[in-house]
Amino acid sequence: MAALAKVVARQRAEMDRLRDQAATSAVLERAKGALMALTGCTPNAAGEELQQRAKAGNRSLLEECWITLGEVVPPLQHAGPQPQATASAASATATFPVDGSATGLPATRDRLDTDDPDSTDDTYVALGRLGEALVRVGTPQDLARCLLDHLRPEVGADAVMIFRHLPAGGLELIGHSGIDDTLATQWRQVPPLPGVAALDSLRAREPRWLEDFDSDRQRYLLIGDPPERWRSRAWLPVPAGDTAEVCIGVLRDRGGPFTPSARRLLRAVARLCAGRLRAFGTRREHAADGAVQAVFDALPGAAMLLSPLTAVSGEVEDYRIDAATQDAADIVGRTGHELVGHRVLECFPSMAGEELWQGCLRTLATGEPFEGPPFAHHEVVAGSAELSTYSVRAARFGDGLVLAWVRQDSSDRQEQRLADVQRLGNLGWATWNLVTHEVNWSSQVFDILDRDPAHGPVQLTDLPGLALPEDVPALIRSVRELVHDGCRCDVPFRIRTADGVRHLRAVAETVPAVDGTPVEVHGFVQDLTAQRSAELALLESEQEILTQHGVLRAERTLAARLQHALLPLPTRPVRLAGLRVEVAYLPAQSGIHVGGDWFSAIELPDGDALFVVGDVAGHGIGAVATMAQLRFTAKGMVITGSSLTGALARLNTLLLHSRDSHGTATMVLARYTPGERRLVWAQAGHPPPLLLRDGEVRYLDRPRGMLIGASSSPVYQEAECHLEPGDRLILYTDGLVERPAEGIDLGLTRLAESVVAHHTDKPGSLSPLLAAVLEGERRDDVCVVDIRVPTEPE
């Protein structure tokens, strides 16, 4: 593995070397070509001249090539014998004197001030490394990152920004590094305001050194959020012939002046980047051929001729406007000739990534024209705002595109709107001329009437023949009144189609002549099948609900009567075995079914008292019948001598093997012996009794026992409790403590607190207690047996 890793590393290093060599060769050949075009020399002479210039300036060959491509080079001085130059070459040579006077810059050999004792070989080494790195730079953004990487150790740079001068006078940020995207977005476009250091540097074509933050902030609009982030800055124009369109900003966190060597290095870096920026193809003013522009001047409407601009990867990144009509306008108000030479995204930034942008790319690739969807646009016509509808079309023209904004005619818009209304409303228009017997239908009418357009429309008098026989008389009568009397027609009718019966509606009115005679009929036919089907389904559902509701109410009435007959309620407290017993039964308020809650409170032949509270699962007549069966059977078993647990076991067997039973049930059986004040009780899946003694409340511990009708082999046990004078024992069904969306423990706690808070020895105290416990709507029946032990024998 180690050997393989070494082989891979060597191959990667060799590939990087070959890639750099190829890139360097490309830069060298471009620089040689520039010298050949400028002076008319041979390729060998151009290469020798570059070598001599690099040696004389103590620079690398690659650095000299980038400077040459930046158009700031002096004429040939060291080349050998040259062929005779042409007149154009001589003119080009005269344009670049040795002292650099034509460009306003110092001569190339003096740029780095090599005689200055402060200039060291480190400066040339730094420029050499930067020149090699520029080979791999493909975009202005890459250039900003490259500059920051190389200037950070040399001059302490913390951020780099590259601005381009726009023809309108402002600046555009084309590259940045060391700043966040939010700040870059804020400074993407800089208007031509006073106090912008980068703009000032470009206008003066001189660097601007901002080294005293307090004084600089008084003179310039400083970049930064906050501006104190960078305490010193340098803005350097990049020379391009006799102009400067690009400015490089170097921002530092620390304050203080730039050293002389740092200033020389930054000036050299700006000149070194000129060639690389030129290779990117920075925007230059461009105008189409005069004949082409003359054609666009004569064209009506808004149109532009676009040339694609490709990135290094070959993808189209923008378009240049080569010609434009006078009606073409961008977002800042430039029109016609003012747009020529600008980029599309500079004039219409919202096009980026939109459907129009993708359509232009497809048209450029395939040659097929593109037309975007209509859109609304507010424009000023004769001094007033008007809403117009446009669509954008793109067509290929040579290697470029013609982009045109087409205003839709009002009649076209109205026709489109009418078609949309017919489609959305599922209707169609029709006209009948009563004089010429000419009939016109929209296509939607043929679809609604399920008629083949090849058969043509039918006359108004023949329209009833399309309806079902049951609807023909009403339709004939409506048509007769419409034609003879001029009465408005609005009649429903049905037709039979391959998909079934359709419910339609015909609405029409007449257009009278001067004498009032109807001469033409205008109307529409609408398909109401879906609406009518929904109405019929709703009506049928309502009828079924009413029928079912009546049945359920009748069942409730019958069950309530049966329940009252089987479970009579005492109107006042009763005395049983020395105890005062009060009973309450509250039916559910929600629903229409009667529940199966029940109770028994009787005195046995031996003087004991029997108390039973039960709850049958479910509602209705079935639950009432099961309740009656359990109530009477339980009393009979205990009276005849069965134990409480034995009675529960037999009731379980009865419920399991009875076909007329109603599922399951819960129950509490309690037997009270007055001489011993002893209470023996058993339960089958029921909430425990509540005991109040001396102002303290507790629930009795439940013995074992599962609900009746759930198992063929249940186990039931008894529990014993001795009552004392003043005790209060409450038996109840689960409707008293259960509420939706809460646990039963919360209901048991609420009942215990209410018993303590509303306790009184006076008769009739059960109703206030129930009112305090039961809040809101009751969803289940409630049955309560309130047992009190008198404090003194009665």
Side-chain angles (χ1 to χ4, degrees):
M1 293 296 293
L4 289 175
K6 292 180 180 178
V7 172
V8 172
R10 286 198 301 270
Q11 291 179 346
R12 183 180 291 113
E14 181 64 16
M15 291 178 63
D16 291 341
R17 186 187 64 81
L18 293 176
R19 187 183 297 110
D20 292 344
Q21 181 179 352
T24 303
S25 298
V27 176
L28 176 61
E29 292 303 320
R30 288 201 299 269
K32 288 167 60 177
L35 281 179
M36 292 167 59
L38 185 64
T39 63
C41 66
T42 63
N44 292 336
E48 182 179 354
E49 173 66 15
L50 291 172
Q51 292 281 0
Q52 292 181 7
R53 288 181 176 180
K55 182 178 180 180
N58 198 15
R59 292 184 292 273
S60 67
L61 178 60
L62 185 60
E63 180 188 357
E64 188 63 42
C65 290
W66 282 124
I67 294 176
T68 301
L69 290 174
E71 296 184 350
V72 290
V73 297
L76 291 172
Q77 296 293 333
H78 304 286
Q82 306 295 331
Q84 184 176 1
T86 61
S88 60
S91 175
T93 304
T95 308
F96 296 93
V98 178
D99 61 358
S101 58
T103 63
L105 296 169
T108 303
R109 303 185 189 284
D110 299 331
R111 286 175 193 162
L112 299 180
D113 299 331
T114 54
D115 295 335
D116 194 313
D118 293 333
S119 297
T120 64
D121 292 338
D122 292 340
T123 302
Y124 306 117
V125 172
L127 289 174
R129 286 196 299 264
L130 178 59
E132 294 176 359
L134 290 179
V135 174
R136 292 180 290 274
V137 169
T139 64
Q141 187 68 17
D142 294 339
L143 176 60
R145 298 192 190 100
C146 180
L147 290 177
L148 182 59
D149 292 341
H150 287 77
L151 294 180
R152 192 190 304 275
E154 301 297 335
V155 298
D158 295 294
V160 171
M161 302 179 71
I162 303 177
F163 279 102
R164 182 183 65 188
H165 195 199
L166 298 176
L171 296 175
E172 178 187 15
L173 183 64
I174 60 175
H176 62 86
S177 182
I179 67 173
D180 54 67
D181 293 337
T182 302
L183 185 62
T185 302
Q186 294 174 351
W187 289 85
R188 180 71 60 184
Q189 298 286 338
V190 180
L193 300 174
V196 179
L199 195 57
D200 188 20
S201 175
L202 284 174
R203 290 169 177 168
R205 297 185 58 211
E206 291 290 341
R208 289 293 180 260
W209 309 99
L210 282 64
E211 300 165 328
D212 186 350
F213 181 80
D214 293 333
S215 61
D216 292 335
R217 71 187 309 173
Q218 303 297 327
R219 300 171 52 201
Y220 295 110
L221 180 63
L222 299 182
I223 296 174
D225 188 14
E228 293 83 354
R229 177 179 175 182
W230 294 295
R231 306 294 297 185
S232 60
R233 310 146 193 260
W235 293 98
L236 303 108
V238 177
D242 57 352
T243 62
E245 293 187 355
V246 178
C247 187
I248 298 176
V250 178
L251 294 77
R252 302 189 305 180
D253 292 346
R254 70 176 190 270
F258 290 84
T259 64
S261 59
R263 291 193 177 196
R264 284 191 296 273
L265 175 61
L266 292 177
R267 286 193 181 98
V269 167
R271 289 189 292 271
L272 186 62
C273 292
R276 180 71 273 187
L277 286 168
R278 184 184 180 189
F280 295 151
T282 53
R283 185 187 62 79
R284 294 178 180 273
E285 294 295 332
H286 180 84
D289 181 77
V292 176
Q293 182 59 54
V295 172
F296 273 77
D297 290 340
L299 288 177
M304 297 185 303
L305 177 62
L306 309 179
S307 293
L309 302 176
T310 58
V312 178
S313 61
E315 298 180 355
V316 176
E317 63 178 6
D318 207 342
Y319 297 89
R320 184 184 60 240
I321 302 175
D322 291 344
T325 62
Q326 292 301 317
D327 291 336
D330 67 353
I331 60 173
V332 297
R334 290 174 295 202
T335 61
H337 291 243
E338 297 175 346
L339 298 172
V340 175
H342 290 271
R343 296 193 177 196
V344 166
L345 293 182
E346 177 186 336
C347 301
F348 310 95
S350 61
M351 279 183 56
E354 295 295 330
E355 182 180 0
L356 175 58
W357 184 267
Q358 302 300 328
C360 290
L361 293 179
R362 288 195 298 271
T363 300
L364 197 62
T366 64
E368 297 180 1
F370 166 80
E371 182 171 357
F375 62 93
H377 173 67
H378 282 278
E379 59 183 354
V380 178
V381 178
S384 62
E386 180 179 306
L387 183 64
S388 303
T389 303
Y390 287 86
S391 62
V392 182
R393 298 175 183 175
R396 194 163 69 181
F397 181 77
D399 295 333
L401 291 174
V402 173
L403 203 64
W405 282 260
V406 180
R407 182 174 180 176
Q408 294 187 350
D409 186 71
S410 59
S411 60
D412 296 336
R413 296 199 301 272
Q414 294 295 339
E415 184 175 349
Q416 181 62 40
R417 291 170 183 170
L418 180 59
D420 292 340
V421 169
Q422 293 184 85
R423 175 178 51 82
L424 296 174
N426 203 8
L427 54 84
W429 58 266
T431 59
W432 290 272
N433 192 304
L434 304 180
V435 179
T436 63
H437 303 290
E438 182 181 358
V439 182
N440 289 316
W441 282 3
S442 68
S443 59
Q444 194 75 11
V445 175
F446 288 97
D447 294 338
I448 293 174
L449 295 176
D450 195 27
R451 182 176 177 83
D452 188 352
H455 297 158
V458 299
Q459 293 293 332
L460 183 61
T461 55
D462 297 333
L463 186 63
L466 303 178
L468 294 181
E470 308 91 273
D471 299 337
V472 169
L475 194 55
I476 291 177
R477 183 171 57 256
S478 297
V479 171
R480 184 185 303 113
E481 294 175 354
L482 175 69
V483 174
H484 295 285
D485 302 332
C487 298
R488 186 175 181 271
C489 169
D490 188 346
V491 56
F493 66 98
R494 294 168 296 171
I495 64 172
R496 189 175 301 278
T497 67
D499 299 332
V501 176
R502 289 184 182 176
H503 295 263
L504 307 181
R505 175 194 179 200
V507 179
E509 63 181 5
T510 58
V511 178
V514 178
D515 58 358
T517 304
V519 294
E520 196 169 54
V521 174
H522 296 168
F524 67 85
V525 180
Q526 186 176 16
D527 187 355
L528 302 177
T529 303
Q531 178 181 344
R532 184 58 178 164
S533 299
E535 291 175 354
L536 293 176
L538 180 60
L539 180 61
E540 183 179 355
S541 177
E542 290 177 351
Q543 292 176 348
E544 292 179 356
I545 291 174
L546 290 175
T547 302
Q548 184 179 11
H549 194 266
V551 172
L552 293 176
R553 282 194 174 276
E555 180 182 343
R556 175 180 174 84
T557 302
L558 177 60
R561 291 177 179 177
L562 179 61
Q563 186 183 53
H564 291 316
L566 298 174
L567 191 65
L569 292 174
T571 57
R572 63 183 63 183
V574 298
R575 304 288 178 175
L576 295 175
L579 302 174
R580 190 180 76 193
V581 180
E582 192 172 351
V583 178
Y585 179 84
L586 302 175
Q589 294 176 326
S590 62
I592 61 175
H593 288 296
V594 176
D597 291 20
W598 56 279
F599 73 94
S600 286
I602 62 173
E603 188 170 322
L604 300 176
D606 59 0
D608 291 356
L610 175 65
F611 302 101
V612 187
V613 172
D615 184 4
V616 177
H619 297 82
I621 295 178
V624 173
T626 302
M627 175 268 291
Q629 185 181 32
L630 293 177
R631 182 171 185 264
F632 292 114
T633 304
K635 291 194 299 182
M637 287 181 180
V638 176
I639 291 174
T640 57
S642 295
S643 64
L644 300 182
T645 56
L648 289 175
R650 289 180 176 84
L651 291 174
N652 181 75
T653 303
L654 175 66
L655 208 58
L656 282 175
H657 298 284
S658 177
R659 292 186 177 181
D660 298 331
S661 65
H662 196 78
T664 61
T666 65
M667 187 184 301
V668 168
L669 289 174
R671 183 168 186 159
Y672 175 72
T673 303
E676 303 172 359
R677 289 201 299 269
R678 182 168 62 96
L679 180 76
V680 179
W681 67 288
Q683 62 87 27
H686 203 84
L690 178 67
L691 176 63
L692 175 65
R693 176 178 293 171
D694 298 332
E696 295 183 0
V697 65
R698 69 180 179 91
Y699 289 96
L700 300 183
D701 295 333
R702 291 200 314 169
R704 291 182 61 184
M706 64 187 307
L707 71 164
I708 299 173
S711 174
S712 59
S713 57
V715 177
Y716 298 104
Q717 294 179 347
E718 293 181 351
E720 184 176 315
C721 175
H722 288 272
L723 299 181
E724 297 178 1
D727 284 355
R728 183 180 186 183
L729 187 70
I730 298 178
L731 307 180
Y732 54 91
T733 57
D734 57 5
L736 184 63
V737 294
E738 286 186 345
R739 288 185 183 178
E742 73 175 24
I744 192 172
D745 292 341
L746 185 59
L748 294 173
T749 302
R750 180 170 53 247
L751 174 60
E753 293 174 350
S754 298
V755 168
V756 174
H758 297 82
H759 174 64
T760 177
D761 292 332
K762 296 180 180 180
S765 62
L766 186 57
S767 296
L769 172 63
L770 296 181
V773 176
L774 299 172
E775 298 177 357
E777 185 180 50
R778 293 189 301 277
R779 296 176 177 269
D780 198 1
D781 295 351
V782 175
C783 184
V784 180
V785 177
D786 187 3
I787 304 170
R788 297 172 182 263
V789 181
T791 56
E792 297 180 359
E794 299 182 1

